Amino acid sequence: MAFQTSSELFEKAKKVIPGGVNSPVRACRSVGCDPVFITKAAGATLWDADGNEYVDFVCSWGPMIMGHAHPEIVEAVTRAAASGTSFGAPTPTEIDLASMVVEALPSVEKVRFVNSGTEATMSAVRLARGFTGKKVVVKFDGCYHGHADSFLVKAGSGVLTLGIPGSPGVPEEIVKNTLSIPYNNEQVLEATLRDEKLDIACVIVEPVAGNMGCVPPKPGFLKKLRALTAERGIVLIFDEVITGFRLGYGGAQQYYDVSPDLTCLGKIIGGGLPVGAYGGKAEIMNCIAPDGPVYQAGTLSGNPLAMAAGIATLKLLQEPGFYDRLEAKAAGFAERLNEVAGTFGIPVQLNRVGSIMTAFFTAVEVTDFTSAMLADTEMYARHYRQMLEGGIYLAPSQFEVAFISAAQSERDLDKAVKMTEWSFKKLVQM
Ligand code: KE4
């Protein structure tokens, strides 16, 4: 195919794909520019159709914790492909990855693979409703659990970024059973979960919110949530699609020492291929077909390529000291960003948990959806465009996170700090 620039490709894409993208946030609408089309990636580097090079902090929204085209992951997928890509039948590798997940997460006795985080959370909620015989799902304002109907109520990520109130196409009858309450608010949490009039099946939470930007749980919030849900046999679902194998090999549930009833996974466990998973107590998981009556299925669930990529990735994450090194790298980088912001007097709240972080352009501490919404999205958009120009690839939304991966070198981080200085200097001059 003849050489085509990103803008030529975008024009072509828009003719055959809605918005020219296969996921809304990629359209860069909230940061006031057109997307670049990526043609190649290796390690922490992305190349676009115009030949520009970027240091990647999006990491495909989380999966690429080992960086792009990691040789051991590529080799595992290539080898698997040579033996066939999908059989629609059980394979040994599904047991291998399932066993690794069960071993990593003590709260997970059984796990079912699906093909996306959305499928994982959608299935976990259906399972919780089936297991309890109850209807109401409690979520938190600004948290995003994928695009299943029940979740598109005050959701985060693209829904928040694009300012879509919820979503047309989701009937009132569906969303009336979804109750969204403020994140990090123990008073409202207690009043809601103790309200006997509410027929609550489950609470689903991002143990670290990553879809209104990075918002850590306040000390004690998750433990309070665990205690209140246990009181009434409400199923507690940790949506660890971002935090799973990201905050540590045991995810957020190990990091905060809180044990949910069900866990949803995605992103990292697929090593860049389409995988989601939901798992938890055998007592609950045994309600899933074919053992139980709650139905869930998938043509490509557990397919050999995705399993091979996931197994190779988790093996690399088991390397002794991996997360300590990632934490040190992320902490050092965050400290340097804070210094730069202080130098230019730009109001920035840098929220970080492990290798997940967000720089909110606001002077107000960001602890929930309401405070996140005070961030200056225009200033973020200018910063985004300037950093892109400077060869740094950030999330095209103030309400997403940046990821530190094993692949970013000190040189890459130095460049990112230098470009941040350059961008902030331009911001204060405007
Ligand atoms: P997917 O269906 O996109 O694989 O996963 C949905 C999902 C579920 N739970 C959490 C906590 C998530 O963050 C996500 C998806 N994350 C977004 C970005 N924050 C994916 C990017 C996109 O939508 O293009």
Side-chain angles (χ1 to χ4, degrees):
M1 182 185 290
F3 171 82
Q4 299 181 85
T5 63
S6 283
S7 46
E8 287 165 339
L9 289 165
F10 194 39
E11 288 318 304
K12 275 181 77 174
K14 284 190 281 192
K15 292 190 175 72
V16 289
I17 303 170
V21 292
N22 282 305
S23 199
V25 68
R26 302 179 192 171
C28 298
R29 293 277 172 90
S30 75
V31 288
C33 60
D34 288 343
V36 294
F37 277 60
I38 302 303
T39 54
K40 181 177 181 294
T45 307
L46 302 173
W47 285 270
D48 71 10
D50 298 64
N52 302 308
E53 194 176 298
Y54 306 96
V55 179
D56 180 24
F57 288 88
V58 175
C59 302
S60 182
W61 304 97
M64 310 320 291
I65 190 168
M66 295 310 302
H68 296 281
H70 187 290
E72 290 178 45
I73 299 171
V74 171
E75 205 277 327
V77 173
T78 309
R79 190 167 2 95
S83 301
T85 54
S86 178
F87 318 122
T91 65
T93 49
E94 292 162 83
I95 307 168
D96 297 339
L97 187 55
S99 304
M100 292 173 91
V101 170
V102 165
E103 216 171 291
L105 305 176
S107 74
V108 176
E109 294 173 320
K110 286 192 176 178
V111 61
R112 167 66 63 84
F113 291 114
V114 292
N115 298 287
S116 69
T118 294
E119 267 193 271
T121 55
M122 173 177 82
S123 309
V125 162
R126 181 184 308 138
L127 172 58
R129 283 172 159 157
F131 176 71
T132 60
K134 297 175 181 299
K135 282 186 189 163
V136 172
V137 176
V138 176
K139 69 174 287 293
F140 294 90
D141 300 347
C143 286
Y144 175 74
H145 305 290
H147 62 88
D149 282 355
S150 308
F151 300 133
L152 293 179
V153 174
K154 290 190 193 169
S157 189
V159 181
L160 180 54
T161 298
L162 299 177
I164 306 171
S167 172
V170 179
E172 173 50 36
E173 295 73 26
I174 299 271
V175 292
K176 75 176 183 223
N177 286 315
T178 302
L179 188 55
S180 196
I181 60 176
Y183 192 76
N184 273 331
N185 183 320
E186 288 196 14
Q187 291 68 34
V188 173
L189 178 69
E190 188 162 334
T192 305
L193 297 196
R194 284 187 170 155
D195 182 344
E196 295 289 345
K197 292 189 304 303
L198 287 174
D199 186 35
I200 303 173
C202 60
V203 177
I204 185 165
V205 66
E206 289 185 65
V208 174
N211 287 288
M212 46 179 145
C214 176
V215 178
K218 279 181 179 167
F221 180 70
L222 294 176
K223 289 218 184 283
K224 180 89 175 176
L225 174 58
R226 176 64 285 181
L228 286 167
T229 47
E231 257 178 31
R232 289 179 63 191
I234 295 171
V235 174
L236 176 56
I237 304 173
F238 266 19
D239 177 350
E240 293 223 40
V241 168
I242 287 181
T243 56
F245 295 96
R246 166 65 60 180
L247 294 190
Y249 199 70
Q253 53 198 269
Q254 177 188 56
Y255 193 90
Y256 291 104
D257 189 23
V258 174
S259 187
D261 300 310
L262 293 178
T263 297
C264 300
L265 298 166
K267 298 182 193 275
I268 288 176
I269 63 162
L273 270 70
V275 182
Y278 63 102
K281 292 174 177 166
E283 178 198 8
I284 303 177
M285 292 302 290
N286 290 337
C287 295
I288 282 284
D291 280 344
V294 180
Y295 196 70
Q296 177 269 313
T299 303
L300 292 171
S301 297
N303 79 76
L305 297 200
M307 296 296 103
I311 291 165
T313 301
L314 265 54
K315 279 183 179 161
L316 290 163
L317 295 175
Q318 289 173 2
E319 189 191 326
F322 175 86
Y323 289 98
D324 293 338
R325 288 190 296 279
L326 196 63
E327 168 59 24
K329 190 195 267 191
F333 183 60
E335 200 179 312
R336 294 173 71 188
L337 292 182
N338 273 320
E339 280 162 21
V340 171
T343 310
F344 291 99
I346 292 194
V348 167
Q349 295 293 321
L350 188 69
N351 283 4
R352 178 182 75 86
V353 181
S355 56
I356 308 170
M357 64 180 82
T358 298
F360 291 94
F361 283 91
T362 175
V364 176
E365 193 193 4
V366 178
T367 58
D368 59 11
F369 176 77
T370 306
S371 45
M373 291 303 285
L374 298 176
D376 182 339
T377 52
E378 262 319 296
M379 185 175 274
Y380 182 84
R382 283 203 296 274
H383 178 59
Y384 172 85
R385 295 194 298 268
Q386 289 169 174
M387 292 296 272
L388 194 68
E389 190 188 330
I392 306 298
Y393 195 78
L394 298 178
S397 161
Q398 169 70 95
F399 305 116
E400 295 286 356
V401 300
F403 292 100
I404 298 299
S405 76
Q408 291 135 348
S409 65
E410 279 314 305
R411 189 162 164 272
D412 291 328
L413 300 181
D414 289 347
K415 179 177 179 183
V417 170
K418 204 158 122 291
M419 293 323 302
T420 304
E421 267 173 336
W422 172 74
S423 174
F424 278 16
K425 194 179 286 179
K426 284 166 73 81
L427 290 178
V428 294
Q429 285 161 359
M430 286 174 176

mmCIF file of all heavy atoms in Angstrom, residues 23 25 61 116-118 144-146 157 206 211 239 241-242 267 400, ligand 1:
data_model
loop_
_atom_site.group_PDB
_atom_site.id
_atom_site.type_symbol
_atom_site.label_atom_id
_atom_site.label_comp_id
_atom_site.label_asym_id
_atom_site.label_seq_id
_atom_site.Cartn_x
_atom_site.Cartn_y
_atom_site.Cartn_z
ATOM 1 N N SER A 23 -12.892 2.616 18.877
ATOM 2 C CA SER A 23 -13.229 2.919 20.267
ATOM 3 C C SER A 23 -13.187 4.439 20.397
ATOM 4 O O SER A 23 -12.203 5.059 19.976
ATOM 5 C CB SER A 23 -12.242 2.253 21.231
ATOM 6 O OG SER A 23 -12.803 2.182 22.515
ATOM 7 N N VAL A 25 -12.687 6.931 22.486
ATOM 8 C CA VAL A 25 -11.662 7.820 23.078
ATOM 9 C C VAL A 25 -10.478 7.995 22.122
ATOM 10 O O VAL A 25 -9.759 8.992 22.157
ATOM 11 C CB VAL A 25 -11.209 7.277 24.458
ATOM 12 C CG1 VAL A 25 -10.426 5.978 24.339
ATOM 13 C CG2 VAL A 25 -10.440 8.327 25.224
ATOM 14 N N TRP A 61 -3.780 1.251 26.848
ATOM 15 C CA TRP A 61 -4.720 1.445 27.977
ATOM 16 C C TRP A 61 -4.469 0.422 29.077
ATOM 17 O O TRP A 61 -5.371 0.069 29.819
ATOM 18 C CB TRP A 61 -6.165 1.413 27.484
ATOM 19 C CG TRP A 61 -6.422 2.421 26.410
ATOM 20 C CD1 TRP A 61 -6.410 2.173 25.071
ATOM 21 C CD2 TRP A 61 -6.667 3.813 26.558
ATOM 22 N NE1 TRP A 61 -6.620 3.349 24.370
ATOM 23 C CE2 TRP A 61 -6.792 4.361 25.272
ATOM 24 C CE3 TRP A 61 -6.784 4.670 27.662
ATOM 25 C CZ2 TRP A 61 -7.022 5.713 25.043
ATOM 26 C CZ3 TRP A 61 -7.018 6.024 27.442
ATOM 27 C CH2 TRP A 61 -7.143 6.536 26.140
ATOM 28 N N SER A 116 -13.145 -9.708 26.564
ATOM 29 C CA SER A 116 -12.914 -8.280 26.849
ATOM 30 C C SER A 116 -13.283 -7.999 28.302
ATOM 31 O O SER A 116 -13.955 -8.819 28.955
ATOM 32 C CB SER A 116 -13.807 -7.410 25.945
ATOM 33 O OG SER A 116 -15.169 -7.572 26.331
ATOM 34 N N GLY A 117 -12.843 -6.849 28.779
ATOM 35 C CA GLY A 117 -13.199 -6.452 30.131
ATOM 36 C C GLY A 117 -14.703 -6.277 30.278
ATOM 37 O O GLY A 117 -15.282 -6.649 31.304
ATOM 38 N N THR A 118 -15.320 -5.745 29.210
ATOM 39 C CA THR A 118 -16.782 -5.563 29.247
ATOM 40 C C THR A 118 -17.500 -6.893 29.453
ATOM 41 O O THR A 118 -18.411 -7.008 30.268
ATOM 42 C CB THR A 118 -17.269 -4.906 27.932
ATOM 43 O OG1 THR A 118 -16.749 -3.582 27.844
ATOM 44 C CG2 THR A 118 -18.781 -4.872 27.859
ATOM 45 N N TYR A 144 -15.826 3.199 35.404
ATOM 46 C CA TYR A 144 -16.241 2.644 34.109
ATOM 47 C C TYR A 144 -15.937 1.153 34.123
ATOM 48 O O TYR A 144 -14.854 0.740 34.537
ATOM 49 C CB TYR A 144 -15.461 3.322 32.985
ATOM 50 C CG TYR A 144 -15.695 2.775 31.594
ATOM 51 C CD1 TYR A 144 -16.870 3.022 30.903
ATOM 52 C CD2 TYR A 144 -14.717 2.003 30.948
ATOM 53 C CE1 TYR A 144 -17.082 2.530 29.617
ATOM 54 C CE2 TYR A 144 -14.914 1.507 29.672
ATOM 55 C CZ TYR A 144 -16.095 1.767 29.009
ATOM 56 O OH TYR A 144 -16.299 1.271 27.745
ATOM 57 N N HIS A 145 -16.958 0.378 33.699
ATOM 58 C CA HIS A 145 -16.769 -1.079 33.745
ATOM 59 C C HIS A 145 -17.010 -1.678 32.372
ATOM 60 O O HIS A 145 -17.425 -2.824 32.237
ATOM 61 C CB HIS A 145 -17.718 -1.685 34.789
ATOM 62 C CG HIS A 145 -17.561 -1.067 36.150
ATOM 63 N ND1 HIS A 145 -16.453 -1.277 36.926
ATOM 64 C CD2 HIS A 145 -18.348 -0.194 36.836
ATOM 65 C CE1 HIS A 145 -16.564 -0.581 38.051
ATOM 66 N NE2 HIS A 145 -17.704 0.082 38.032
ATOM 67 N N GLY A 146 -16.780 -0.871 31.308
ATOM 68 C CA GLY A 146 -17.087 -1.348 29.973
ATOM 69 C C GLY A 146 -18.456 -0.838 29.552
ATOM 70 O O GLY A 146 -19.105 -0.083 30.276
ATOM 71 N N SER A 157 -14.342 7.059 31.765
ATOM 72 C CA SER A 157 -13.679 6.821 30.477
ATOM 73 C C SER A 157 -14.356 7.607 29.352
ATOM 74 O O SER A 157 -14.686 8.774 29.513
ATOM 75 C CB SER A 157 -13.657 5.318 30.153
ATOM 76 O OG SER A 157 -12.839 5.092 29.034
ATOM 77 N N GLU A 206 -14.110 -0.146 40.909
ATOM 78 C CA GLU A 206 -12.695 -0.144 40.514
ATOM 79 C C GLU A 206 -11.920 0.118 41.801
ATOM 80 O O GLU A 206 -12.005 1.228 42.346
ATOM 81 C CB GLU A 206 -12.419 0.995 39.524
ATOM 82 C CG GLU A 206 -12.978 0.854 38.136
ATOM 83 C CD GLU A 206 -12.504 2.020 37.254
ATOM 84 O OE1 GLU A 206 -11.293 2.107 37.011
ATOM 85 O OE2 GLU A 206 -13.334 2.840 36.844
ATOM 86 N N ASN A 211 -10.814 5.553 35.546
ATOM 87 C CA ASN A 211 -11.581 6.041 34.386
ATOM 88 C C ASN A 211 -12.213 7.408 34.585
ATOM 89 O O ASN A 211 -13.019 7.834 33.772
ATOM 90 C CB ASN A 211 -12.646 4.998 34.013
ATOM 91 C CG ASN A 211 -12.012 3.795 33.359
ATOM 92 O OD1 ASN A 211 -11.566 3.858 32.210
ATOM 93 N ND2 ASN A 211 -11.892 2.697 34.091
ATOM 94 N N ASP A 239 -13.574 -4.762 40.045
ATOM 95 C CA ASP A 239 -13.236 -4.657 38.628
ATOM 96 C C ASP A 239 -11.740 -4.334 38.540
ATOM 97 O O ASP A 239 -11.340 -3.173 38.638
ATOM 98 C CB ASP A 239 -14.078 -3.557 37.957
ATOM 99 C CG ASP A 239 -13.684 -3.375 36.499
ATOM 100 O OD1 ASP A 239 -12.657 -3.942 36.084
ATOM 101 O OD2 ASP A 239 -14.394 -2.641 35.793
ATOM 102 N N VAL A 241 -9.807 -4.901 35.950
ATOM 103 C CA VAL A 241 -9.382 -4.916 34.540
ATOM 104 C C VAL A 241 -8.128 -4.068 34.359
ATOM 105 O O VAL A 241 -7.229 -4.411 33.590
ATOM 106 C CB VAL A 241 -10.535 -4.443 33.626
ATOM 107 C CG1 VAL A 241 -10.055 -4.171 32.213
ATOM 108 C CG2 VAL A 241 -11.655 -5.478 33.613
ATOM 109 N N ILE A 242 -8.037 -2.948 35.074
ATOM 110 C CA ILE A 242 -6.806 -2.133 35.018
ATOM 111 C C ILE A 242 -5.806 -2.592 36.079
ATOM 112 O O ILE A 242 -4.627 -2.796 35.804
ATOM 113 C CB ILE A 242 -7.114 -0.633 35.232
ATOM 114 C CG1 ILE A 242 -7.808 -0.025 34.008
ATOM 115 C CG2 ILE A 242 -5.835 0.144 35.530
ATOM 116 C CD1 ILE A 242 -8.117 1.460 34.129
ATOM 117 N N LYS A 267 -7.088 -6.779 29.925
ATOM 118 C CA LYS A 267 -5.840 -6.058 29.622
ATOM 119 C C LYS A 267 -4.580 -6.918 29.817
ATOM 120 O O LYS A 267 -4.275 -7.770 28.991
ATOM 121 C CB LYS A 267 -5.793 -4.761 30.430
ATOM 122 C CG LYS A 267 -6.966 -3.794 30.056
ATOM 123 C CD LYS A 267 -6.901 -2.493 30.798
ATOM 124 C CE LYS A 267 -8.192 -1.698 30.675
ATOM 125 N NZ LYS A 267 -8.261 -0.858 29.459
ATOM 126 N N GLU A 400 -8.318 9.882 31.857
ATOM 127 C CA GLU A 400 -7.727 8.555 31.718
ATOM 128 C C GLU A 400 -6.414 8.560 32.495
ATOM 129 O O GLU A 400 -6.075 9.547 33.149
ATOM 130 C CB GLU A 400 -7.474 8.254 30.227
ATOM 131 C CG GLU A 400 -8.730 8.160 29.397
ATOM 132 C CD GLU A 400 -9.537 6.881 29.612
ATOM 133 O OE1 GLU A 400 -9.081 5.997 30.365
ATOM 134 O OE2 GLU A 400 -10.623 6.762 29.031
HETATM 135 P P1 KE4 B 1 -12.812 -3.526 27.560
HETATM 136 O O1 KE4 B 1 -14.200 -4.019 27.202
HETATM 137 O O2 KE4 B 1 -12.505 -2.180 26.924
HETATM 138 O O3 KE4 B 1 -11.731 -4.553 27.311
HETATM 139 O O4 KE4 B 1 -12.767 -3.285 29.136
HETATM 140 C C1 KE4 B 1 -13.728 -2.458 29.723
HETATM 141 C C2 KE4 B 1 -13.182 -1.946 31.046
HETATM 142 C C3 KE4 B 1 -13.642 -2.510 32.217
HETATM 143 N N1 KE4 B 1 -13.180 -2.093 33.426
HETATM 144 C C4 KE4 B 1 -12.248 -1.117 33.512
HETATM 145 C C5 KE4 B 1 -11.764 -0.687 34.863
HETATM 146 C C6 KE4 B 1 -11.738 -0.510 32.343
HETATM 147 O O5 KE4 B 1 -10.811 0.475 32.446
HETATM 148 C C7 KE4 B 1 -12.202 -0.925 31.085
HETATM 149 C C8 KE4 B 1 -11.718 -0.303 29.789
HETATM 150 N N2 KE4 B 1 -10.802 0.785 29.910
HETATM 151 C C9 KE4 B 1 -10.827 1.750 28.842
HETATM 152 C C10 KE4 B 1 -9.901 2.908 29.152
HETATM 153 N N3 KE4 B 1 -9.839 3.299 30.486
HETATM 154 C C11 KE4 B 1 -10.466 1.104 27.537
HETATM 155 C C12 KE4 B 1 -10.118 2.064 26.440
HETATM 156 C C13 KE4 B 1 -11.229 2.246 25.461
HETATM 157 O O6 KE4 B 1 -12.411 2.245 25.864
HETATM 158 O O7 KE4 B 1 -10.891 2.402 24.259
#
